[in-house]
Amino acid sequence: MRRTERSAFTPEERKAAMWALLIAGLIAAFALVLQQWTQPSLGPWGADQAAASIPGVLDAQPVTTSF
């Protein structure tokens, strides 16, 4: 039995849209997992150098102004 009401999209278009959403979701999930496995490179300020202090930074004081 065929429906008499018309819809905005054909069944093939709805099926293609669902596949596109599924594939986009899988790509996004894979990107999130991949991002957790690979951390960005911070160069010389990476994890190995995180504890090293930069000269003069610990002694820095805020600038005060007098009015």
Side-chain angles (χ1 to χ4, degrees):
M1 181 174 182
R2 186 167 171 88
R3 295 191 312 179
T4 58
E5 64 184 65
R6 297 182 60 155
S7 66
F9 301 102
T10 65
E12 292 83 16
E13 289 172 331
R14 287 193 295 271
K15 184 177 178 181
M18 290 304 295
W19 276 109
L21 286 173
L22 178 66
I23 292 170
L26 290 173
I27 290 172
F30 178 72
L32 287 173
V33 170
L34 184 65
Q35 182 181 11
Q36 293 301 318
W37 284 340
T38 60
Q39 296 298 321
S41 171
L42 300 176
W45 296 277
D48 296 337
Q49 301 291 327
S53 62
I54 300 172
V57 172
L58 296 177
D59 301 327
Q61 298 294 320
V63 177
T64 59
T65 59
S66 59
F67 289 101

